[in-house]
Structures are given as C-alpha cells and as structure tokens.
C-alpha cells in the first residue's frame, strides 16, 4: 500500500501585497543607487582637486593635503568635544524623563526635547555668536591665566570668545535633543519584569537602572551617540557663524587661532570659488563623506557585536 504526501498549499499573494512589496524594494534600492551616484560624483569631481597645486587653485597654499588636514582635524576635533559634552547630559536627561520625573513633567520635557531637535541651525549660530561667545570669554581668560600650564588651556586667549570650544558647545546643544530622544525611547523599552525583579531583590532605583536599564540600552546609547556625531560632523551654518578660524592644527581650546571644519569652509568659500577651486572644495566634501560613512559603519559594527555578545550570554 503506497501513501502519497500532500503537497503544501501554495500561498496566493494578493495584488496589493505584491505592489507594496515591489514598491518597498524599489524604495530601498533607490537609497543604494542615490548613495552610489553621490559617491561617484564626488570621486570624479575630486580628481582635479586632489592633484591641484597652488598654481591651479588659489585657495591652496602648497598642495591639497596640506590644505585638507587642518580642515579634517577641526571637523573631528569639534565633533569629539561636542560628543564628550552631549552624551552624558543627554543620557541623564533621558533617564530622568523615563524613570524619575512625574508623568506630567516627563511629558512636558519630552515635548520640549522634540521641539529643540527641530530648531534651525542658524538660530543656534545666532545664539552662539551673540550670547554664548561674549558670556564665556571671561571664563576662557580666567582659565588661561590660572590654568595655562594645562596643554588644552595654553596660548593667548581669544578676545571674542569665538573659539573651537565655543563651536563645540553649540554643536553639543544641537545634538543633545537627538541623543536624548533616542535614549528616552530605548530606556522606556526596558522589560518591566527586569526592573521589577531588581527592585524586588532590594535594589535601589539607581541600582535597578544600573543593573537592568543600562545593560539593555547599551547598544542603543551607542547608536544614538553615533547619530549625534554624524550630525555634528556635517553641521555647517552654526559652526561657520560661531567659529573664528585661521586654518591651523592645534589642540588648544581658547585661542584665536582655531582650525576650521570642512562643512563651514565649504559654505564660506564656495560662493567665490571658480575653476579648480570648486574641485578642491568637492574633494574636501569627499573626505567628509568618507569620514561620516566610516563613523556610521563603525557604529553599526559596534551595535551588531553588542547584540551577538548579548545573545551569546
């Protein structure tokens, strides 16, 4: 006696599902196509700029790399300073909103954080140049006078307060709402059973946060920080308005001789650029594109490693 195995019924996909699936596939593919098109454009247009000399482009003093290194350094340096200030503050604010503040106060603070993320960068630039720089200049002068032995505080102090550190403060204020909003949502997704178990074992509120919330949200905090870093790396107008740049490489925070950033330099130089000068600026844009892409790739790698490690445990 032979038995026949029934074949599984073939699932019939409806027309709406097929259209939605193909539309989603097309949209995802267009992201890759757009990214590739931007990369190809930057690479092709950058070749004359990378090989240019001071005879070809007036904005280059000797060669392209001597021109771009201070810009790349200033971009990374200002972004790192901003991230050092922004991440602890953003995590604390997000933790207060999610686990400490009363419900009504938490809702109000959440709305304010979301609104701050939508403020245009020009507004932050005006605040930085008109309010922040004059306010912090006496503080810079005091630090240089009394702690000038520290390498970061050395050098003659800026008379205007428009230094790389002031620009980093403005960048930190700009990225705090983004990091706070993401961390807040991640903290709220912590399993309630983990929190209740920690409290039932006699842990205090802070011990519960340290043992249950932070381990769960660690990869999310890294992702939020890298997203804020990407915003800081690409910020243009606020830095261009606040920073008084002279195109040098220095780690000193309060002097008048500051490195510029790639986005600010492009915004200030491009209106008067012509010929090979445009290619030089596009080449600096390619450097910024590579740095930003590398930062986001590193963030994705860190997050994936965290997930693998958590899954293994």
């Amino acid at each position: 006696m032979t038995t026949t195995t029934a074949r599984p019924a073939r699932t019939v996909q409806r027309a709406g599902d097929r259209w939605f699936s193909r539309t989603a596939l097309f949209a995802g593919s267009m992201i890759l196509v757009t990214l590739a098109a931007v990369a190809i454009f930057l690479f092709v247009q950058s070749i004359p700029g990378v090989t240019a000399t001071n005879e070809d482009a007036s904005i280059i003093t000797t060669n392209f790399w001597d021109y771009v290194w201070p810009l790349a350094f200033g971009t990374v340096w200002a972004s790192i300073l901003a991230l050092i200030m922004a991440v602890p503050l953003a995590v604390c604010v997000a933790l207060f909103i999610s686990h400490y503040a009363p419900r009504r106060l938490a809702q109000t603070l959440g709305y304010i954080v979301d609104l701050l993320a939508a403020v245009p960068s020009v507004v932050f630039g005006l605040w930085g140049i008109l309010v922040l720089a004059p306010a912090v200049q006496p503080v810079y002068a005091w630090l240089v006078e009394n702690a000038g032995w520290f390498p970061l505080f050395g050098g003659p102090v800026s008379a205007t307060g428009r230094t790389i550190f002031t620009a980093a403060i403005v960048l930190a204020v700009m990225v705090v709402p983004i990091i706070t909003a993401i961390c807040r949502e991640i903290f709220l997704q912590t399993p309630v059973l983990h929190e209740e178990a920690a409290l039932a074992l006699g842990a205090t509120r802070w011990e519960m946060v340290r043992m249950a919330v932070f381990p769960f949200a660690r990869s999310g905090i890294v992702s939020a920080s890298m997203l804020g870093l990407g915003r800081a790396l690409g910020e243009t107008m606020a830095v261009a308005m606040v920073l008084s740049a002279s195109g040098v490489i220095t780690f000193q925070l309060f002097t008048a001789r500051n490195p510029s950033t790639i986005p600010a330099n492009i915004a200030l130089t491009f209106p008067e650029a012509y010929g090979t000068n445009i290619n030089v600026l596009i080449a600096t844009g390619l450097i910024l594109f590579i740095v930003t892409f590398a930062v986001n790739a590193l963030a994705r790698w860190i997050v994936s490693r965290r997930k693998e490690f958590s899954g293994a445990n």
Side-chain angles (χ1 to χ4, degrees), residues 52-143:
T53 62
N54 57 343
E55 298 177 356
D56 302 323
S58 58
I59 62 177
I60 298 179
T61 55
T62 54
N63 59 67
F64 172 77
W65 295 109
D66 291 337
Y67 175 75
V68 76
W69 283 128
L71 299 176
F73 168 79
T75 304
V76 176
W77 181 228
S79 301
I80 290 176
L81 291 174
L83 207 65
I84 291 174
M85 292 182 283
V87 171
L89 178 60
V91 171
C92 291
V93 173
L95 188 62
F96 176 76
I97 293 174
S98 61
H99 285 79
Y100 286 91
R103 184 176 182 86
R104 290 186 178 180
L105 179 60
Q107 291 179 348
T108 303
L109 290 177
Y111 294 149
I112 294 175
V113 168
D114 294 338
L115 289 176
L116 284 176
V119 175
S121 59
V122 176
V123 176
F124 286 108
L126 290 173
W127 170 76
I129 193 174
L130 297 177
V131 179
L132 180 63
V136 297
Q137 197 280 332
V139 180
Y140 294 167
W142 185 87
L143 288 173

Side-chain angles (χ1 to χ4, degrees), residues 141-214:
W142 185 87
L143 288 173
V144 171
E145 181 180 355
N146 295 276
W149 52 267
F150 189 64
L152 296 180
F153 299 162
V157 66
S158 171
T160 61
R162 297 171 58 186
T163 67
I164 190 70
F165 192 72
T166 305
I169 295 175
V170 174
L171 288 177
V173 173
M174 295 178 65
V175 303
V176 159
I178 300 174
I179 302 176
T180 301
I182 298 175
C183 291
R184 178 192 65 199
E185 298 302 324
I186 295 172
F187 291 161
L188 291 174
Q189 293 178 7
T190 305
V192 179
L193 291 178
H194 294 182
E195 298 178 358
E196 293 177 349
L199 294 174
L201 292 174
T204 62
R205 180 69 64 88
W206 166 245
E207 290 173 339
M208 178 272 294
V209 169
R210 184 166 52 86
M211 293 186 298
V213 178
F214 281 163

Side-chain angles (χ1 to χ4, degrees), residues 137-310:
Q137 197 280 332
V139 180
Y140 294 167
W142 185 87
L143 288 173
V144 171
E145 181 180 355
N146 295 276
W149 52 267
F150 189 64
L152 296 180
F153 299 162
V157 66
S158 171
T160 61
R162 297 171 58 186
T163 67
I164 190 70
F165 192 72
T166 305
I169 295 175
V170 174
L171 288 177
V173 173
M174 295 178 65
V175 303
V176 159
I178 300 174
I179 302 176
T180 301
I182 298 175
C183 291
R184 178 192 65 199
E185 298 302 324
I186 295 172
F187 291 161
L188 291 174
Q189 293 178 7
T190 305
V192 179
L193 291 178
H194 294 182
E195 298 178 358
E196 293 177 349
L199 294 174
L201 292 174
T204 62
R205 180 69 64 88
W206 166 245
E207 290 173 339
M208 178 272 294
V209 169
R210 184 166 52 86
M211 293 186 298
V213 178
F214 281 163
F216 175 81
R218 189 178 293 116
S219 60
I221 295 175
V222 173
S223 300
S225 302
M226 292 300 103
L227 184 61
L229 178 59
R231 169 70 187 276
L233 287 172
E235 180 52 44
T236 303
M237 290 310 301
V239 178
M241 297 172 65
V242 173
L243 183 61
S244 178
S246 56
V248 297
I249 297 178
T250 177
F251 287 96
Q252 295 174 347
L253 301 178
F254 309 139
T255 65
R257 303 179 70 243
N258 301 286
S260 184
T261 64
I262 293 177
N265 181 72
I266 293 175
L268 296 175
T269 311
F270 193 84
E272 301 178 356
Y274 61 91
T276 310
N277 293 324
I278 297 178
N279 298 107
V280 172
L281 295 178
I282 293 176
T284 60
L286 176 63
I287 300 297
L288 180 63
F289 179 83
I290 294 174
V291 171
T292 307
F293 188 84
V295 167
N296 285 276
L298 177 62
R300 295 298 305 172
W301 180 78
I302 293 175
V303 171
S304 62
R305 287 294 300 271
R306 290 289 185 184
K307 290 182 178 179
E308 292 178 1
F309 179 78
S310 300

